[in-house]
Amino acid sequence: MTLAVPLLLSAATACSSSNSDNKPSGQTEPSASSTASGGDKPEQATVSFLSNWNGGGGSFPQDQVNNPVAKRVKEVTGVTLKMESITTNETEKLNTIFASGTVPDMVNAPFWSTTGGEGQVIKKAALEGQLLDLTPYLDKYPNVKKLLTTGVAKDFAEFELNSPDFQGKTYVIPMQTPDGTPESIHNWNYGLYARGDILKALNVNPEDIDTEDKVFDLLAKIKNGNFKDISGKPVIPAGTMHDGWDYGQFLKGWSDYTISDYRQDSNGKLSYWMFSKDEEDKLLYMRKILSNGLFDPEAFSNTDTMANEKLATGKLAVFAAQDMAEQLDKTLYKSNPEMQYELLGPMKNKSGKIATQVEKPGRSGFPVIFLSAKIKNPDAALRFLDYINSDEGRLLAYWGIEGKDYQMENGVPKWIPDVKQKYDNDPDSMRDAGLKYLNGNFIGGFSNDVAWPKSEDEKTKREKMQGSYSAKMPIQIIDKVSANYLAWDWPKYQQFRDTTSSLNYGDEFKKALFAKTDDQALKILHDIQDKFRAAGADEMTEYVAQKAAERNDIGF
């Protein structure tokens, strides 16, 4: 999800191929297979594309046009991508392009919910006519059409992806969704990771560090241990990646296996998540590690560049996020392999179980692709997406050129040995061959691990390492409908949304982290909680509890 820092291109330039001619063509597009076998040459088109993810350009090849994969894509689809990415906040960038009317032809952006963040901005833009309605095109592009249902949670599809407000129109295409099987759900390996050499010097077994108290004690030992980064400067005991992502991993002792904003106690009584006493405990714990000099005070203002520099130099003794192994393979693990980070714990949640990723059978919230309402040639963009999500296109995206990069053996692609060695030794050469940007941005409803399972001897050291993390933190699946959606029928729900739209609990929580005293910090916390109570959060929770009692498929 978080990648190396890209070269930021101009949004205005990226929109240069757009105008208001976006009606479906009456002509039938040549199929990818007919083109590949020497059929009609497809119409040539340049499509501007924005990866609206902080650091998303890290997967882009240095030469966007002439790398082998891009040349093959153009040969089959006629499409040349003109790509840009961001190193700023995703929501802010979306607000900027929609406000200025400089929406690139095609955008990949977060879509976690339509009631907040990026998803809310995207939904608003769709209802204002800034996104192309894809409905008239879908039958023409079956591989794109399948993405709308494959690996998507049923409740998310009903209430968010196909929001009733859209009146049957389709505006976004899910990306990075599983293939519909539990085995295909991607494990992101979120957790706490500590430098192995420091653990060894302290004679600490990483598996023993599984509670917040043990983490605090470890960080205190690190602070007093005079440990250095690769340049000989003192380490920071703990930190995160950009914008504080993901400091919540330090607070897993107050989490549980949940799929909604409501918490049910042992007596079955529901409460709204932010009113839990756990919020006070989390706040005071974070203040404790900050005030003792055990946590990076810059964590919440880190840019992607700053965070990756700290990671690459071993500056952070412990970090909270995904395993970040792909970036570290290119930097710290190459120069200082003894500093390889190890997974702590896993951490225990409040029920004493491992704190791990919780999913429904299909994914709820994912990256999406949307097209600008002003796109000049929507067929070109959809032809591109349809091909990339075909069997042939996915092989190209993940494996490159058959006979040059890989050979098929019993229906499974295998790297040509010399190529594998080259890519293992130099991951950037793999990126620059075009073998990173397509699968990261344009493919959904699919799992390469399920489609092309690797034997242990075929896996890289990094893949084995990441697999070991996933084995320790297996995904927990809850096959229920999220209680969140029950609130949408509450008569005062829109009023609640309007009243709380300007409130940002997360920002207030972060502000409280740096208050002068614990009392002042708790006052900041209680003030924002009181504003949500005044808006009707308790009444909404009572309504949800009543509705949930009438059903047996609701999950909290």
Side-chain angles (χ1 to χ4, degrees):
M1 290 178 64
T2 303
L3 300 164
V5 182
L7 178 63
L8 188 63
L9 303 177
S10 163
T13 302
C15 300
S16 61
S17 63
S18 299
N19 66 25
S20 59
D21 181 15
N22 57 19
K23 297 186 181 300
S25 166
Q27 298 179 344
T28 301
E29 296 290 329
S31 68
S33 59
S34 71
T35 303
S37 60
D40 295 337
K41 289 192 66 174
E43 173 191 5
Q44 302 297 294
T46 296
V47 175
S48 59
F49 168 72
L50 171 66
S51 173
N52 194 66
W53 296 86
N54 191 328
S59 66
F60 293 176
Q62 288 194 29
D63 188 334
Q64 295 186 8
V65 176
N66 295 308
N67 67 79
V69 170
K71 289 168 73 173
R72 178 60 176 162
V73 169
K74 183 176 182 180
E75 177 185 344
V76 176
T77 68
V79 173
T80 299
L81 285 183
K82 191 171 187 179
M83 301 188 292
E84 64 167 318
S85 64
I86 65 170
T87 56
T88 54
N89 179 271
E90 291 88 351
T91 303
E92 291 176 2
K93 180 63 175 180
L94 288 173
N95 280 322
T96 298
I97 62 174
F98 290 134
S100 62
T102 56
V103 184
D105 295 332
M106 184 162 51
V107 178
N108 183 303
F111 193 77
W112 310 129
S113 169
T114 57
T115 59
E118 300 91 349
Q120 185 177 41
V121 175
I122 292 170
K123 179 180 178 181
K124 179 175 180 289
L127 296 177
E128 291 175 347
Q130 295 200 63
L131 273 56
L132 180 69
D133 173 20
L134 303 169
T135 312
Y137 302 86
L138 293 175
D139 287 340
K140 191 173 175 183
Y141 301 103
N143 294 324
V144 173
K145 188 175 183 179
K146 284 195 301 184
L147 300 180
L148 301 177
T149 54
T150 304
V152 179
K154 292 180 292 185
D155 51 4
F156 192 88
E158 177 182 352
F159 293 99
E160 313 236 33
L161 184 64
N162 305 305
S163 168
D165 295 336
F166 291 156
Q167 299 181 339
K169 296 180 179 180
T170 301
Y171 291 104
V172 298
I173 305 166
M175 295 284 116
Q176 294 186 10
T177 43
D179 66 12
T181 64
E183 297 78 15
S184 70
I185 299 174
H186 186 77
N187 193 329
W188 297 104
N189 290 333
Y190 274 98
L192 298 180
Y193 294 87
R195 258 180 48 186
D197 61 323
I198 294 178
L199 295 175
K200 184 177 180 179
L202 293 172
N203 196 28
V204 170
N205 179 0
E207 295 182 357
D208 293 340
I209 310 300
D210 58 2
T211 68
E212 275 66 30
D213 287 343
K214 291 178 181 178
V215 169
F216 181 88
D217 291 343
L218 173 62
L219 298 182
K221 290 177 181 177
I222 291 171
K223 180 183 178 183
N224 296 325
N226 196 33
F227 295 104
K228 309 293 185 182
D229 64 15
I230 64 174
S231 62
K233 297 179 180 178
V235 300
I236 299 171
T240 68
M241 300 299 97
H242 65 81
D243 299 323
W245 174 72
D246 177 16
Y247 79 94
Q249 297 304 316
F250 286 97
L251 307 172
K252 284 299 184 178
W254 294 279
S255 70
D256 223 327
Y257 296 159
T258 58
I259 59 171
S260 81
D261 290 337
Y262 303 91
R263 304 292 178 259
Q264 191 175 42
D265 65 19
S266 58
N267 297 317
K269 181 176 175 57
L270 280 195
S271 61
Y272 196 56
W273 70 273
M274 70 172 60
F275 302 152
S276 168
K277 174 69 164 54
D278 293 340
E279 294 303 297
E280 294 184 4
D281 294 338
K282 289 194 288 187
L283 174 62
L284 294 176
Y285 178 82
M286 284 300 300
R287 285 180 54 80
K288 180 181 176 183
I289 60 176
L290 273 163
S291 63
N292 281 275
L294 305 180
F295 191 85
D296 184 6
E298 293 181 339
F300 301 103
S301 58
N302 269 344
T303 64
D304 192 63
T305 303
M306 292 165 61
N308 277 308
E309 285 178 353
K310 290 173 182 177
L311 203 64
T313 58
K315 186 75 172 176
L316 300 178
V318 177
F319 74 86
Q322 298 163 7
D323 56 65
M324 309 304 290
E326 190 163 352
Q327 289 92 311
L328 287 162
D329 253 358
K330 305 173 187 176
T331 53
L332 186 67
Y333 295 171
K334 184 176 287 189
S335 64
N336 294 75
E338 75 284 358
M339 292 185 179
Q340 178 176 303
Y341 286 92
E342 297 187 34
L343 174 69
L344 296 181
M347 301 295 291
K348 295 289 198 326
N349 65 18
K350 65 189 299 182
S351 299
K353 301 174 182 177
I354 60 168
T356 190
Q357 184 174 324
V358 178
E359 299 281 357
K360 287 176 272 186
R363 192 173 177 186
S364 292
F366 28 69
V368 294
I369 292 279
F370 62 81
L371 305 187
S372 167
K374 297 180 180 180
I375 184 172
K376 181 178 180 180
N377 192 339
D379 275 305
L382 292 167
R383 183 170 68 242
F384 166 84
L385 285 174
D386 201 71
Y387 171 65
I388 298 305
N389 285 279
S390 68
D391 291 344
E392 179 185 315
R394 290 191 295 255
L395 275 169
L396 177 67
Y398 283 93
W399 293 89
I401 310 300
E402 185 172 5
K404 177 179 177 293
D405 294 308
Y406 72 95
Q407 300 283 5
M408 296 298 292
E409 298 179 12
N410 299 318
V412 177
K414 303 291 183 183
W415 293 114
I416 293 173
D418 290 348
V419 173
K420 182 180 188 305
Q421 184 175 0
K422 175 185 176 184
Y423 291 160
D424 286 350
N425 293 337
D426 182 10
D428 286 347
S429 68
M430 188 178 189
R431 177 202 66 196
D432 292 336
L435 285 166
K436 290 290 182 184
Y437 74 104
L438 292 178
N439 50 31
N441 289 290
F442 303 107
I443 290 179
F446 180 71
S447 167
N448 60 308
D449 292 332
V450 173
W452 309 306
K454 293 181 179 179
S455 62
E456 283 301 305
D457 61 343
E458 291 178 300
K459 293 179 181 178
T460 64
K461 181 181 177 182
R462 172 175 61 81
E463 289 169 334
K464 291 177 181 178
M465 179 171 54
Q466 291 175 313
S468 72
Y469 301 151
S470 298
K472 292 178 180 179
M473 300 184 291
I475 293 171
Q476 298 298 309
I477 296 179
I478 299 178
D479 192 4
K480 297 284 187 179
V481 172
S482 171
N484 286 356
Y485 295 115
L486 299 180
W488 291 20
D489 289 331
W490 179 43
K492 299 180 183 178
Y493 182 73
Q494 191 54 52
Q495 177 183 331
F496 174 80
R497 293 297 308 166
D498 292 343
T499 304
T500 59
S501 62
S502 61
L503 303 179
N504 192 314
Y505 181 87
D507 284 352
E508 293 302 301
F509 192 94
K510 292 175 186 176
K511 184 193 299 183
L513 293 177
F514 297 95
K516 290 184 178 180
T517 68
D518 285 350
D519 286 343
Q520 290 176 348
L522 289 171
K523 184 179 185 306
I524 293 171
L525 179 69
H526 295 155
D527 283 349
I528 188 66
Q529 291 172 333
D530 288 345
K531 290 177 182 178
F532 275 88
R533 281 197 174 93
D538 287 329
E539 185 180 348
M540 178 176 65
T541 302
E542 292 176 7
Y543 178 86
V544 169
Q546 293 171 5
K547 290 297 180 180
E550 300 170 3
R551 303 175 57 158
N552 61 6
D553 62 343
I554 300 301
F556 302 106

